[in-house]
Short mmCIF file of all heavy atoms in Angstrom, two decimals:
data_model
loop_
_atom_site.label_atom_id
_atom_site.label_comp_id
_atom_site.label_asym_id
_atom_site.label_seq_id
_atom_site.Cartn_x
_atom_site.Cartn_y
_atom_site.Cartn_z
N PRO A 1 -28.61 70.89 17.21
CA PRO A 1 -28.32 71.92 18.21
C PRO A 1 -27.39 72.99 17.64
O PRO A 1 -26.37 72.68 17.02
CB PRO A 1 -27.65 71.14 19.34
CG PRO A 1 -28.15 69.74 19.18
CD PRO A 1 -28.30 69.53 17.71
N ALA A 2 -27.72 74.25 17.87
CA ALA A 2 -26.95 75.35 17.29
C ALA A 2 -25.54 75.43 17.84
O ALA A 2 -24.65 75.99 17.18
CB ALA A 2 -27.69 76.68 17.54
N ASP A 3 -25.32 74.87 19.04
CA ASP A 3 -23.99 74.97 19.65
C ASP A 3 -23.14 73.72 19.42
O ASP A 3 -22.09 73.55 20.04
CB ASP A 3 -24.10 75.25 21.14
CG ASP A 3 -24.80 74.14 21.91
OD1 ASP A 3 -25.44 73.27 21.27
OD2 ASP A 3 -24.73 74.14 23.16
N ALA A 4 -23.58 72.85 18.52
CA ALA A 4 -22.81 71.64 18.24
C ALA A 4 -21.49 72.00 17.56
O ALA A 4 -21.45 72.77 16.61
CB ALA A 4 -23.61 70.70 17.34
N ASP A 5 -20.40 71.44 18.09
CA ASP A 5 -19.08 71.64 17.48
C ASP A 5 -18.74 70.54 16.47
O ASP A 5 -18.03 70.78 15.50
CB ASP A 5 -18.00 71.66 18.56
CG ASP A 5 -18.19 72.78 19.56
OD1 ASP A 5 -18.19 73.95 19.13
OD2 ASP A 5 -18.35 72.48 20.76
N VAL A 6 -19.23 69.34 16.75
CA VAL A 6 -18.99 68.18 15.88
C VAL A 6 -20.32 67.44 15.73
O VAL A 6 -21.00 67.17 16.72
CB VAL A 6 -17.93 67.22 16.48
CG1 VAL A 6 -17.73 66.02 15.57
CG2 VAL A 6 -16.61 67.95 16.70
N VAL A 7 -20.70 67.14 14.50
CA VAL A 7 -21.92 66.38 14.21
C VAL A 7 -21.52 65.14 13.43
O VAL A 7 -20.81 65.24 12.43
CB VAL A 7 -22.94 67.21 13.40
CG1 VAL A 7 -24.19 66.37 13.11
CG2 VAL A 7 -23.31 68.49 14.15
N VAL A 8 -21.97 63.97 13.89
CA VAL A 8 -21.56 62.71 13.28
C VAL A 8 -22.79 61.90 12.88
O VAL A 8 -23.63 61.60 13.73
CB VAL A 8 -20.71 61.86 14.25
CG1 VAL A 8 -20.19 60.62 13.53
CG2 VAL A 8 -19.57 62.67 14.84
N ASN A 9 -22.88 61.56 11.60
CA ASN A 9 -23.87 60.57 11.20
C ASN A 9 -23.28 59.19 11.42
O ASN A 9 -22.41 58.74 10.67
CB ASN A 9 -24.26 60.73 9.73
CG ASN A 9 -25.18 59.60 9.27
OD1 ASN A 9 -26.02 59.12 10.03
ND2 ASN A 9 -24.99 59.14 8.04
N ALA A 10 -23.74 58.51 12.46
CA ALA A 10 -23.25 57.17 12.77
C ALA A 10 -24.26 56.10 12.39
O ALA A 10 -24.21 54.99 12.88
CB ALA A 10 -22.91 57.07 14.26
N THR A 11 -25.18 56.45 11.48
CA THR A 11 -26.14 55.48 10.96
C THR A 11 -25.65 54.97 9.61
O THR A 11 -24.66 55.44 9.07
CB THR A 11 -27.54 56.12 10.77
OG1 THR A 11 -27.53 56.95 9.60
CG2 THR A 11 -27.93 56.96 11.99
N SER A 12 -26.39 54.02 9.05
CA SER A 12 -26.05 53.49 7.72
C SER A 12 -26.85 54.17 6.61
O SER A 12 -26.78 53.75 5.45
CB SER A 12 -26.29 51.98 7.68
OG SER A 12 -27.66 51.69 7.93
N ILE A 13 -27.58 55.23 6.95
CA ILE A 13 -28.39 55.92 5.94
C ILE A 13 -27.47 56.58 4.91
O ILE A 13 -26.58 57.35 5.26
CB ILE A 13 -29.28 56.99 6.60
CG1 ILE A 13 -30.23 56.35 7.62
CG2 ILE A 13 -30.08 57.74 5.54
CD1 ILE A 13 -31.03 57.35 8.43
N GLY A 14 -27.68 56.24 3.65
CA GLY A 14 -26.87 56.79 2.58
C GLY A 14 -25.78 55.87 2.09
O GLY A 14 -25.02 56.22 1.17
N LEU A 15 -25.69 54.67 2.68
CA LEU A 15 -24.68 53.71 2.27
C LEU A 15 -25.07 53.09 0.93
O LEU A 15 -26.22 52.73 0.71
CB LEU A 15 -24.55 52.61 3.32
CG LEU A 15 -23.57 51.47 3.03
CD1 LEU A 15 -22.14 51.98 2.99
CD2 LEU A 15 -23.71 50.37 4.09
N ALA A 16 -24.09 52.98 0.02
CA ALA A 16 -24.36 52.34 -1.27
C ALA A 16 -24.88 50.93 -1.07
O ALA A 16 -24.43 50.24 -0.15
CB ALA A 16 -23.07 52.32 -2.10
N PRO A 17 -25.85 50.49 -1.85
CA PRO A 17 -26.37 51.13 -3.06
C PRO A 17 -27.48 52.15 -2.81
O PRO A 17 -27.98 52.75 -3.76
CB PRO A 17 -26.92 49.95 -3.86
CG PRO A 17 -27.40 49.00 -2.81
CD PRO A 17 -26.42 49.13 -1.67
N ASP A 18 -27.86 52.37 -1.56
CA ASP A 18 -28.92 53.32 -1.25
C ASP A 18 -28.33 54.71 -0.99
O ASP A 18 -28.69 55.38 -0.01
CB ASP A 18 -29.73 52.85 -0.04
CG ASP A 18 -30.43 51.52 -0.30
OD1 ASP A 18 -30.91 51.33 -1.43
OD2 ASP A 18 -30.50 50.70 0.62
N TRP A 19 -27.43 55.14 -1.88
CA TRP A 19 -26.71 56.39 -1.64
C TRP A 19 -27.60 57.62 -1.74
O TRP A 19 -27.24 58.71 -1.27
CB TRP A 19 -25.54 56.52 -2.61
CG TRP A 19 -25.93 56.54 -4.06
CD1 TRP A 19 -26.08 55.47 -4.88
CD2 TRP A 19 -26.24 57.68 -4.83
NE1 TRP A 19 -26.46 55.88 -6.14
CE2 TRP A 19 -26.56 57.23 -6.14
CE3 TRP A 19 -26.28 59.05 -4.57
CZ2 TRP A 19 -26.92 58.11 -7.16
CZ3 TRP A 19 -26.63 59.92 -5.60
CH2 TRP A 19 -26.95 59.45 -6.87
N GLN A 20 -28.78 57.48 -2.32
CA GLN A 20 -29.68 58.61 -2.44
C GLN A 20 -30.55 58.80 -1.19
O GLN A 20 -31.28 59.79 -1.10
CB GLN A 20 -30.57 58.46 -3.66
CG GLN A 20 -29.81 58.57 -4.99
CD GLN A 20 -30.71 58.44 -6.19
OE1 GLN A 20 -31.57 57.55 -6.25
NE2 GLN A 20 -30.54 59.33 -7.16
N ALA A 21 -30.47 57.87 -0.24
CA ALA A 21 -31.23 58.02 1.00
C ALA A 21 -30.71 59.22 1.78
O ALA A 21 -29.51 59.42 1.91
CB ALA A 21 -31.13 56.75 1.84
N ARG A 22 -31.63 60.00 2.31
CA ARG A 22 -31.26 61.24 2.99
C ARG A 22 -31.35 61.08 4.50
O ARG A 22 -32.34 60.57 5.03
CB ARG A 22 -32.18 62.39 2.55
CG ARG A 22 -31.83 63.73 3.19
CD ARG A 22 -32.75 64.85 2.73
NE ARG A 22 -32.37 66.06 3.43
CZ ARG A 22 -32.81 66.39 4.63
NH1 ARG A 22 -33.68 65.58 5.26
NH2 ARG A 22 -32.40 67.48 5.23
N VAL A 23 -30.32 61.50 5.22
CA VAL A 23 -30.35 61.52 6.68
C VAL A 23 -31.35 62.61 7.09
O VAL A 23 -31.18 63.78 6.71
CB VAL A 23 -28.96 61.83 7.27
CG1 VAL A 23 -29.03 61.89 8.79
CG2 VAL A 23 -27.96 60.77 6.83
N PRO A 24 -32.41 62.26 7.83
CA PRO A 24 -33.46 63.24 8.12
C PRO A 24 -33.09 64.25 9.20
O PRO A 24 -33.42 64.09 10.38
CB PRO A 24 -34.64 62.36 8.54
CG PRO A 24 -34.03 61.13 9.08
CD PRO A 24 -32.76 60.91 8.30
N VAL A 25 -32.37 65.28 8.79
CA VAL A 25 -32.09 66.42 9.66
C VAL A 25 -32.51 67.68 8.90
O VAL A 25 -32.61 67.67 7.66
CB VAL A 25 -30.60 66.52 10.04
CG1 VAL A 25 -30.17 65.28 10.83
CG2 VAL A 25 -29.73 66.71 8.82
N GLN A 26 -32.76 68.76 9.63
CA GLN A 26 -33.09 70.02 8.98
C GLN A 26 -31.84 70.59 8.32
O GLN A 26 -30.87 70.92 9.00
CB GLN A 26 -33.66 71.00 10.00
CG GLN A 26 -35.04 70.64 10.49
CD GLN A 26 -35.64 71.70 11.40
OE1 GLN A 26 -35.12 72.81 11.52
NE2 GLN A 26 -36.74 71.37 12.06
N ALA A 27 -31.86 70.67 7.00
CA ALA A 27 -30.67 71.09 6.26
C ALA A 27 -30.21 72.48 6.66
O ALA A 27 -29.00 72.77 6.61
CB ALA A 27 -30.95 71.03 4.76
N ASP A 28 -31.14 73.35 7.05
CA ASP A 28 -30.74 74.72 7.40
C ASP A 28 -30.28 74.83 8.85
O ASP A 28 -29.99 75.94 9.32
CB ASP A 28 -31.87 75.70 7.13
CG ASP A 28 -33.14 75.40 7.95
OD1 ASP A 28 -33.14 74.40 8.70
OD2 ASP A 28 -34.11 76.17 7.84
#
């Protein structure tokens, strides 16, 4: 959402040893 003030990844995606896993959000 464009009006988000705080964005939190509260999943385990990207946790070592799978640190290369990408959280699937639109980077732009």
Side-chain angles (χ1 to χ4, degrees):
D3 63 346
D5 299 300
V6 179
V7 179
V8 185
N9 174 36
T11 76
S12 61
I13 300 173
L15 178 65
D18 297 322
W19 60 271
Q20 292 181 314
R22 182 180 177 275
V23 178
V25 298
Q26 290 186 11
D28 61 358

